[in-house]
Amino acid sequence: MRPKSRIPKDMMPKRTKIATLLADGKTGFDTTVMGWIRTFRNNQFIALNDGSTNQTLQVVVDFENTDPALLKQLTTGAGIACTGHIVASQGRGQTLEMKATAIQVFGECDPEVYPLQPKKHSLEFLREIAHLRFRTNTFGSVFRIRHHVAWAIHEFFHRRGFVYLHSPIVTGSDAEGAGEMFRVTTLDPVSPPMADGEVNWKEDFFGKATNLTVSGQLEAELGALALSEVYTFGPTFRAENSNTTRHLAEFWMIEPEVAFADLDDNMDLAEAMLKHIVKHVLEQCGDDLTFLEQRLLEEEKSKPQHERSTLALREKLQFCLDNDFARVTYTEAFDILRNSTPNKKKKFQFVLEEWGADLQSEHERYLVEKHFERPVILYNYPAKIKAFYMRLNDDKNTVAAMDILFPGIGEIVGGSQREERYDVLRGKMAEMDIPEEEMQWYLDTRKFGTVPHAGYGLGFERLILFVTGMTNIRDVIPFPRYPGYAAF
Ligand code: 4AD
Ligand code: MG
């Protein structure tokens, strides 16, 4: 075999994906595979990965009849094509392998400087080289599963007749109040009117002040009040200074909105959706789950026993499928928490005393992990701690809101039945100082043929954390954005 660093386009052989070869399990034919070398042992065994699976194909090189110059190019990270005969493998760890007859090197990879060595790297280190981390087993598995989850979500809503609605990313509406916003402007920060102090936004690109959206909900409501059932699936942006393992400045949200639905329907829909996704991943992502389950077990070995998960990854997913989520009102949950040992012994950072207090993640996790030991839907929250659009209950103190809390993560879904009564909604906006002029379009839907409706927002990355068993949200989105960081 002679070294070749480039293949002319018309000579590019058709390739077979490694996942297909391994799944078919057939032997006794010739084919071509392409991928990146994970390791090259004894000048003889290439472990080749092409990203179609976390498994590698063993390519056996006839080194005695191979040009030494080519052998030298076969290093970890090199991008190559191999043509050869697929045979049953004698070695352990694989059922079949390729006996190579031709190897072409697309791109060499200098092992002296290649950051990914064939050894275990920390997730923190890999985050710094996020452009290359796709090439590791962990991130290959995470991003294949992320794809499957997105697919399962579209499938779930499509099958139920929902319309996928694309809500805007740049918006002039700022009444949602879900979080701090990123301003969108083309004005020059050092020239008037920007540098003037008082900015005249009429001079800006859109003729008004605009931001990146924090949620597509309000637009989804407009769609639902004509199309009946819609969902959004897009990026959302929050400029909160939250440096946690569960917050991103740019994250993806799925927001279904359903006309003629109340809070119970909303909870039923969310639970069915989450179970559909988990079932899909269990059925479709076996290899990747096996790998991630093992990874998690290894990671947890360094933790004290009481901090380790009681269930392995797949057991945890199966448990979520097989059991009803607990449904508890805020008031019931508040009583449980107030009387709990950590509250009485002041072990919580935020000790709960007065009904109406917002629950912190320590409280949510106590409910899910210690008290109910299963996913929990909390509903009927105090009106004072929730958004203006949530429907006021007959008790006048609570709103028809719901949050879904998951073990290890906390809040994964937030939603509500919406206030459809024109006068009640206007009253609420006045109370919360939301200017009516800016929300005319929203109020119009209540003025013209209003109907009961409900919806929720699912944090996509938080769900990916749950199904992959990863523990930092920065490791389940390709290129995370958080305070002080927007590389790539
Ligand atoms: O609870 P939130 O703020 O709800 C809304 O935005 C509503 N408008 C949704 C609706 O009713 N249509 O956000 C919804 C979910 C949260 O439950 C959480 O899972 C996720 O979005 N989320 C974040 N995920 C990552 N990083 C952040 N900074 C997040 N903020 C919220
Ligand atoms: Mg919320």
Side-chain angles (χ1 to χ4, degrees), residues 6 8 28 53 77 203 205 255 276 287 293-294 308 332 340 342 360 369 371 386 395 398:
R6 230 183 239 142
T53 160
E203 291 183 32
F205 187 88
E255 296 186 273
H276 172 85
D287 282 355
E293 178 166 290
Q294 205 51 43
R308 296 185 200 168
E332 289 161 343
S340 70
Q360 307 297 322
E369 289 157 30
H371 190 85
K386 289 289 184 185
D395 65 15
T398 62

Side-chain angles (χ1 to χ4, degrees), residues 402-458:
M402 63 129 180
D403 275 4
I404 303 188
L405 316 177
F406 261 34
I409 292 161
E411 181 190 336
I412 194 163
V413 163
S416 68
Q417 185 173 339
R418 316 306 187 190
E419 184 56 77
E420 86 284 12
R421 297 162 296 188
Y422 186 57
D423 292 336
V424 183
L425 184 60
R426 284 180 68 205
K428 194 66 165 292
M429 287 170 62
E431 231 174 75
M432 296 192 168
D433 285 327
I434 297 167
E436 271 192 32
E437 329 64 91
E438 280 179 26
M439 297 296 286
Q440 215 50 60
W441 50 276
Y442 188 70
L443 284 165
D444 266 1
T445 53
R446 284 23 179 203
K447 206 156 81 182
F448 305 125
T450 190
V451 299
H453 61 288
Y456 61 83
L458 163 69

Side-chain angles (χ1 to χ4, degrees), residues 53-306:
T53 160
N54 60 7
Q55 304 198 41
T56 53
L57 178 72
Q58 174 154 288
V59 177
V60 185
V61 181
D62 175 9
F63 68 100
E64 283 166 344
N65 296 306
T66 301
D67 188 328
L70 174 62
L71 288 177
K72 267 186 75 183
Q73 292 181 315
L74 303 180
T75 59
T76 296
I80 63 171
C82 306
T83 300
H85 201 60
I86 300 293
V87 297
S89 178
Q90 311 299 316
R92 280 196 303 159
Q94 68 267 333
T95 51
L96 49 83
E97 63 190 22
M98 172 181 275
K99 294 241 177 290
T101 50
I103 295 180
Q104 290 159 335
V105 176
F106 294 119
E108 292 176 51
C109 184
D110 182 351
E112 295 297 316
V113 292
Y114 186 46
L116 284 178
Q117 296 296 317
K119 63 161 197 171
K120 204 169 150 43
H121 292 293
S122 75
L123 294 173
E124 290 75 18
F125 169 73
L126 293 172
R127 224 171 280 147
E128 287 168 20
I129 51 160
H131 57 302
L132 294 172
R133 68 179 177 169
F134 297 111
R135 298 182 182 194
T136 64
N137 275 332
T138 298
F139 289 95
S141 291
V142 165
F143 291 118
R144 275 187 300 271
I145 291 180
R146 187 180 160 110
H147 160 77
H148 271 280
V149 173
W151 174 257
I153 288 169
H154 284 301
E155 180 186 51
F156 176 83
F157 288 116
H158 177 74
R159 275 198 200 155
R160 289 177 179 233
F162 282 61
V163 172
Y164 177 24
L165 196 77
H166 300 95
S167 48
I169 289 172
V170 175
T171 172
S173 120
D174 68 352
E176 156 84 9
E180 293 295 315
M181 300 204 281
F182 289 100
R183 167 131 285 150
V184 174
T185 178
T186 52
L187 295 178
D188 180 349
V190 293
S191 325
M194 256 321 214
D196 284 356
E198 261 307 90
V199 179
N200 179 7
W201 294 108
K202 286 208 172 74
E203 291 183 32
D204 202 355
F205 187 88
F206 295 106
K208 63 187 290 195
T210 52
N211 304 283
L212 293 177
T213 185
V214 291
S215 156
Q217 177 198 322
L218 302 189
E219 291 88 352
E221 282 188 56
L222 310 179
L225 293 173
L227 301 164
S228 303
E229 292 177 312
V230 302
Y231 70 105
T232 71
F233 190 155
T236 49
F237 307 85
R238 298 194 184 175
E240 333 162 81
N241 198 12
S242 303
N243 259 305
T244 80
T245 55
R246 301 177 316 126
H247 288 89
L248 290 166
E250 176 180 297
F251 64 99
W252 287 66
M253 197 164 23
I254 294 89
E255 296 186 273
E257 196 65 39
V258 184
F260 318 113
D262 63 13
L263 190 64
D264 280 330
D265 300 321
N266 208 26
M267 295 194 247
D268 291 345
L269 182 72
E271 184 166 344
M273 176 200 67
L274 290 165
K275 287 181 167 162
H276 172 85
I277 298 163
V278 167
K279 183 163 180 277
H280 178 94
V281 171
L282 276 169
E283 286 171 0
Q284 302 291 324
C285 307
D287 282 355
D288 290 320
L289 283 179
T290 304
F291 175 81
L292 290 172
E293 178 166 290
Q294 205 51 43
R295 193 203 72 85
L296 191 61
L297 284 174
E298 289 294 321
E299 186 184 271
E300 291 196 334
K301 275 186 188 156
S302 61
K303 289 187 179 171
Q305 191 72 41
H306 71 276

